[in-house]
Amino acid sequence: MRQPKLSLRLISLFSRAIYSESVKGDCREMYEYIYHERGKIKAWWWLWKQVLTSMPLFFINSIEWGFIMFKNYIKITLRNMWKHKGFSFINISGLAIGLACCILILLWVQDETSYDEFHENKTGIYRILSVGDDSTWDGLPAPLAPAIEKEIPGIIKAVRLLKSPKFVFKYEEQSFYEENGIIADPSFFDVFTFPFLKGNPQQALSTPFSVVISERMARKYFGDLDPVNKSLNIEGRASLKVTGIIKNVPANSHLRFEYVLPFDFAKIAGLRGMAWGDFNFKTYVHLEAHSSSEDIAKKINDS
């Protein structure tokens, strides 16, 4: 007669350690008795019934004993901590400070590496820098951007940016001193991804007396009104038509602004420093996918 090894092993496993061999022996004897008296199928069915009925009790006991042991470990730990207060305080404080430092460093690294990742063209946008003998800066002449966009293959768009002077904006009785704005080419929103809530990104900076404002600035001046096509007075001298509302600029953007004025406005306003000898504008280029930034940089230097 062949012994059912698997079922007997399971019964031994589900039995408490001190009784496992005894239980397995009893089951083997009972199996042999039923085998001879009633046949193989009846014996096989009886044995597996014992396996199935012992499984729930085994799992309940395992969980119960696991909980009891865990509770005992907690008690022992607390007693040891209370007995050695100074040593415990040093260890726990050191662990807490270490974990806090690791978490802060992780959050800082995560924030730093997330900068400008939201731009759709992020892999193809480059900023052109001026390199001198002793320093490097991001100021470039205003005529450079249109010149390289026209003459150098591989550049899709070139965009000029200038920090706006401090202006007083007014709408009806609402008047505020705005310090955080930029002046940019109409292609600014083609290169950079700053989502529009209202307005057309392709046409928003197409006219000199237009302005694109952030959601925060729109609420400050217009409240719940729709700002699009309304006029903002600037410095009491001109009216700017609101042509677009963008979402507030994310904190992980190196460009931070509340409004964007078109480049042609700078010309009309008579802002100085726009000749080849004036290094005032930040210049960004959006390159074609197959273009090499090293090759483009060499062509700019050689032109």
Side-chain angles (χ1 to χ4, degrees):
M1 180 184 63
R2 185 177 179 183
Q3 295 289 338
K5 295 182 180 179
L6 177 59
S7 55
L8 290 173
R9 284 180 183 175
L10 290 174
I11 289 176
S12 177
L13 174 66
F14 296 154
S15 304
R16 296 179 65 176
I18 57 175
Y19 302 127
S20 61
E21 288 300 321
S22 175
V23 171
K24 187 165 67 172
D26 291 343
C27 287
R28 185 183 294 111
E29 291 177 5
M30 193 64 184
Y31 173 83
E32 292 175 357
Y33 172 78
I34 298 174
Y35 185 93
H36 291 296
E37 294 294 325
R38 302 182 187 177
K40 179 179 179 181
I41 295 177
K42 292 282 186 180
W44 180 89
W45 172 251
W46 178 86
L47 190 59
W48 276 101
K49 184 180 178 182
Q50 305 310 308
V51 173
L52 294 174
T53 54
S54 60
M55 283 177 62
L57 186 61
F58 167 75
F59 287 116
I60 292 172
N61 286 336
S62 297
I63 294 171
E64 182 181 357
W65 280 103
F67 178 75
I68 292 172
M69 291 302 295
F70 178 75
K71 187 168 67 172
N72 287 335
Y73 290 148
I74 293 294
K75 287 181 179 179
I76 293 170
T77 301
L78 292 175
R79 286 172 183 170
N80 285 331
M81 289 173 59
W82 184 255
K83 186 176 181 180
H84 307 285
K85 300 183 185 68
F87 184 72
S88 299
F89 175 78
I90 293 172
N91 278 333
I92 294 173
S93 300
L95 178 61
I97 293 171
L99 286 174
C101 290
C102 288
I103 292 171
L104 289 174
I105 292 171
L106 178 62
L107 292 174
W108 178 79
V109 170
Q110 185 182 38
D111 180 66
E112 289 294 308
T113 55
S114 70
Y115 262 70
D116 298 317
E117 288 294 306
F118 56 88
H119 294 299
E120 294 179 3
N121 305 321
K122 61 183 179 181
T123 57
I125 300 174
Y126 293 86
R127 180 169 58 179
I128 304 175
L129 300 176
S130 300
V131 180
D133 293 334
D134 301 318
S135 61
T136 300
W137 65 101
D138 60 2
L140 290 165
L144 178 68
I148 61 175
E149 182 179 329
K150 180 180 179 180
E151 297 176 7
I152 299 178
I155 296 179
I156 301 174
K157 294 284 185 182
V159 180
R160 295 166 290 187
L161 297 182
L162 177 68
K163 182 173 175 58
S164 172
K166 299 174 183 178
F167 289 130
V168 175
F169 285 85
K170 183 177 181 182
Y171 176 73
E172 295 182 349
E173 300 303 319
Q174 302 293 329
S175 179
F176 297 97
Y177 194 59
E178 300 292 345
E179 303 182 50
N180 193 13
I182 59 174
I183 298 170
D185 282 308
S187 57
F188 175 73
F189 294 110
D190 294 328
V191 175
F192 296 99
T193 306
F194 293 104
F196 270 64
L197 298 174
K198 294 183 179 180
N200 185 346
Q202 283 73 40
Q203 302 294 326
L205 299 176
S206 58
T207 58
F209 291 98
S210 59
V211 62
V212 174
I213 61 178
S214 69
E215 185 180 10
R216 181 168 39 244
M217 185 171 172
R219 183 164 295 277
K220 181 166 68 172
Y221 284 89
F222 300 98
D224 295 329
L225 298 176
D226 183 0
V228 175
N229 294 325
K230 288 185 169 56
S231 295
L232 274 174
N233 184 276
I234 181 170
E235 290 290 311
R237 293 181 294 176
S239 292
L240 301 176
K241 182 180 177 181
V242 179
T243 53
I245 311 297
I246 61 171
K247 289 185 178 181
N248 295 328
V249 177
N252 58 348
S253 171
H254 85 283
L255 295 173
R256 305 299 302 276
F257 56 89
E258 294 294 332
Y259 66 89
V260 185
L261 294 171
F263 186 81
D264 288 341
F265 176 82
K267 297 179 181 179
I268 296 173
L271 296 182
R272 299 181 180 181
M274 302 181 67
W276 274 105
D278 301 312
F279 288 70
N280 297 325
F281 286 80
K282 293 181 179 180
T283 302
Y284 297 82
V285 291
H286 177 206
L287 304 185
E288 294 177 354
H290 64 273
S291 298
S292 166
S293 58
E294 290 80 7
D295 292 341
I296 297 295
K298 186 176 184 304
K299 291 177 181 177
I300 293 174
N301 288 326
D302 293 341
S303 59

